[in-house]
Amino acid sequence: MTPTRPAGRLSRRHLALALPSALLTAGCAAPYRGTGRPGEPIVLTVLSHYASGELKEALQGPVDEWNATHDRVRVATKAVEFTDLLTTFMVRQAAGQGADILQPYCLWNGQLVRAGVLRPAPAGHAEEIRRGYGAAAVGSASVAGRVYGYPTETQTYALYYNRRLLRQAGVDHPPGTWRELEETAYRTARRDGYGNTLVQGFGLSTYDDSTTVGQTLALLNAAGGRFVTADGRSTAIDSTAGRAVLDLQHRLVAKGASDPGVNVYKAFASGQVAMVISAGWWTANLKSLMGRAYRDVGVAPVPLPDADGRRATLSTGFMLGVNTASEHPGEAWEFLRWLNAEKVRGVTRMSALQASVGSLTGRADDMRTLLGTGGDPNLRPFLEALAYAVPEPNGPGAQQAKSLLRKNIEALWTGQQTVDEALRTTCRQVDQEVSRAW
């Protein structure tokens, strides 16, 4: 199950679903870890999904810098496909081959904590994390209020829109409310004489989690609703807000403004989708895919049910934490502090790394500094959303709960379920999953 972006080059990386499966190493080769005795350094291994392309290169830069300036503790990177990452964490742990430092998708944190894989952050590091990052990023890196790592990539959701398509439909500004969203979707949608979609007014797509669950939860949060309760032990989507979101999506599909069978990532880049809600990682990808046509792309906050509503959206992300099985946890945490908290030219190395590939961290001060030096203005709404985003629920059953939610949303979009049936089935299935005695 994917987190916040699609496969292949289309996803810039994202956190990419189509990375090489071979393990990649840098520095001293794992699993050799050294002893720390004079002349024989400790070797810390970092296991992530940064396996190829710009992400691999971006991470290798600070790792090489560390290794060039630290003799006693060296760092080696290892990477697998994102789709293999959670399984790799669990299997290697069971085999006694877990890496010292892990970079999980924060949705998995509850499961990894329950399985005894993640080590809680020491008090000093936990305080640094709470002080240096926004609430959504801290929440994603925490389980039951306890911090387990340094947030790395932090993604918030906003509304992408095509200025040209809106202008051609006589719309001069992006929608701010759901009523405006619907009106704009109907005005911009186009079909040919055979009923085939030429332009989706609003992009609903069954392509991956980001286009199904991600934007549904972004709209749900904007409406003041929640997927699960605060303790994570039962669903909360069968509410006024939850029904309103699914009703909105159902109308858009039924009236022809949305076509869930279309790959929205390709279609938006090709000028065949007027609006879609997605995460900030997509900006760099769109810029690369669209060339000069990228100037038509704008980004605005997720529309609210009413003009006087309180802003909210979804945030997802990754973090770097220390394995409970690491023989050198102190050294591992110090490397993470150096990478994620120590500032060079006003920003942390991790913030600079993420900005270099068109992404954000949860350090809003860093990102304001970096974007102020000529960054893409379309990233600013995602930066502003750090102040009001709601982290993705990450209890022990979160991954399975998300999979079940996606299945039922897609059943609604494709006419297999009504709104009532989708809500009822989701609640029954997800409640059974998250209420289990973990």
Side-chain angles (χ1 to χ4, degrees):
M1 187 61 65
T2 66
T4 61
R5 69 195 57 186
R9 175 57 187 165
L10 276 176
S11 66
R12 167 179 73 95
R13 38 182 235 170
H14 185 148
L15 298 147
L17 302 182
L19 301 178
S21 59
L23 296 180
L24 301 170
T25 63
C28 300
Y32 178 73
R33 295 181 176 180
T35 64
R37 292 193 297 267
E40 188 175 359
I42 292 168
V43 179
L44 302 174
T45 55
V46 180
L47 177 59
S48 76
H49 61 286
Y50 288 3
S52 64
E54 58 189 350
L55 273 177
K56 178 187 175 185
E57 295 172 5
L59 177 60
Q60 197 58 49
V63 168
D64 287 345
E65 179 189 353
W66 170 276
N67 287 338
T69 55
H70 294 76
D71 294 328
R72 194 179 72 86
V73 178
R74 310 297 296 278
V75 175
T77 61
K78 304 175 70 174
V80 298
E81 293 182 13
F82 173 77
T83 48
D84 295 332
L85 190 58
L86 178 59
T87 300
T88 301
F89 289 156
M90 303 299 284
V91 170
R92 288 185 178 226
Q93 195 78 2
Q97 298 175 354
D100 296 279
I101 297 171
L102 308 175
Q103 188 182 29
Y105 174 33
C106 289
L107 180 74
W108 306 331
N109 283 350
Q111 180 177 346
L112 292 172
V113 168
R114 175 179 61 86
V117 176
L118 288 175
R119 185 185 297 267
H125 292 272
E127 177 56 29
E128 166 61 37
I129 292 164
R130 292 191 181 97
R131 183 175 61 247
Y133 294 83
V138 175
S140 292
S142 302
V143 176
R146 194 168 192 180
V147 177
Y148 282 85
Y150 282 88
T152 54
E153 178 173 347
T154 299
Q155 297 295 341
T156 57
Y157 278 64
L159 180 78
Y160 287 87
Y161 62 96
N162 186 305
R163 293 187 180 92
R164 177 179 57 81
L165 294 177
L166 266 62
R167 187 169 58 249
Q168 289 175 349
V171 179
D172 59 6
H173 59 83
T177 66
W178 288 8
R179 179 176 179 179
E180 292 177 348
L181 177 68
E182 278 198 81
E183 292 174 348
T184 302
Y186 300 142
R187 291 175 67 171
T188 53
R190 290 171 45 219
R191 292 180 179 265
D192 64 18
Y194 299 96
N196 299 312
T197 299
L198 298 176
V199 174
Q200 281 197 75
F202 184 78
L204 296 178
S205 177
T206 58
Y207 184 79
D208 70 352
D209 282 0
S210 182
T211 55
T212 305
V213 177
Q215 67 170 307
T216 298
L217 294 186
L219 286 166
L220 180 64
N221 292 340
R226 294 294 182 269
F227 175 31
V228 295
T229 55
D231 63 6
R233 302 311 295 267
S234 63
T235 51
I237 195 172
D238 191 1
S239 61
T240 300
R243 287 180 175 274
V245 172
L246 297 193
D247 278 334
L248 170 65
Q249 294 178 339
H250 182 262
R251 288 194 302 272
L252 290 168
V253 174
K255 295 182 179 182
S258 299
D259 184 352
V262 173
N263 180 339
V264 73
Y265 294 109
K266 292 183 178 179
F268 186 89
S270 301
Q272 297 172 310
V273 175
M275 300 176 294
V276 63
I277 292 171
S278 193
W281 62 264
W282 201 20
T283 57
N285 187 227
L286 287 172
K287 188 181 298 185
S288 173
L289 288 172
M290 297 178 70
R292 289 177 57 85
Y294 181 72
R295 62 188 174 185
D296 292 330
V297 176
V299 177
V302 173
L304 300 171
D306 302 297
D308 59 353
R310 182 177 179 180
R311 291 222 175 276
T313 189
L314 175 71
S315 75
T316 63
F318 284 73
M319 70 164 211
L320 282 166
V322 177
N323 195 332
T324 56
S326 174
E327 297 176 3
H328 308 288
E331 289 83 355
W333 283 113
E334 283 311 303
F335 169 72
L336 292 184
R337 186 201 301 274
W338 177 89
L339 180 64
N340 296 279
E342 182 178 305
K343 297 204 173 187
V344 179
R345 291 184 292 278
V347 300
T348 65
R349 293 174 176 86
M350 179 55 68
S351 289
L353 184 163
Q354 294 298 333
S356 74
V357 292
S359 187
L360 302 173
T361 68
R363 287 187 176 270
D365 56 342
D366 279 5
M367 302 318 301
R368 280 191 290 268
T369 298
L370 290 162
L371 293 182
T373 61
D376 186 345
N378 276 340
L379 284 175
R380 294 190 180 278
F382 299 102
L383 170 59
E384 292 166 359
L386 289 173
Y388 56 77
V390 178
E392 193 173 27
N394 66 355
Q399 179 64 80
Q400 181 62 14
K402 186 175 185 178
S403 300
L404 293 168
L405 177 59
R406 177 182 177 181
K407 177 180 178 181
N408 286 293
I409 292 171
E410 292 177 354
L412 170 68
W413 292 357
T414 55
Q416 300 172 58
Q417 291 184 353
T418 66
V419 169
D420 283 343
E421 289 170 340
L423 287 169
R424 185 166 58 249
T425 305
T426 297
C427 289
R428 183 182 72 252
Q429 293 177 343
V430 176
D431 279 348
Q432 183 177 359
E433 180 64 27
V434 300
S435 64
R436 287 197 292 150
W438 295 100

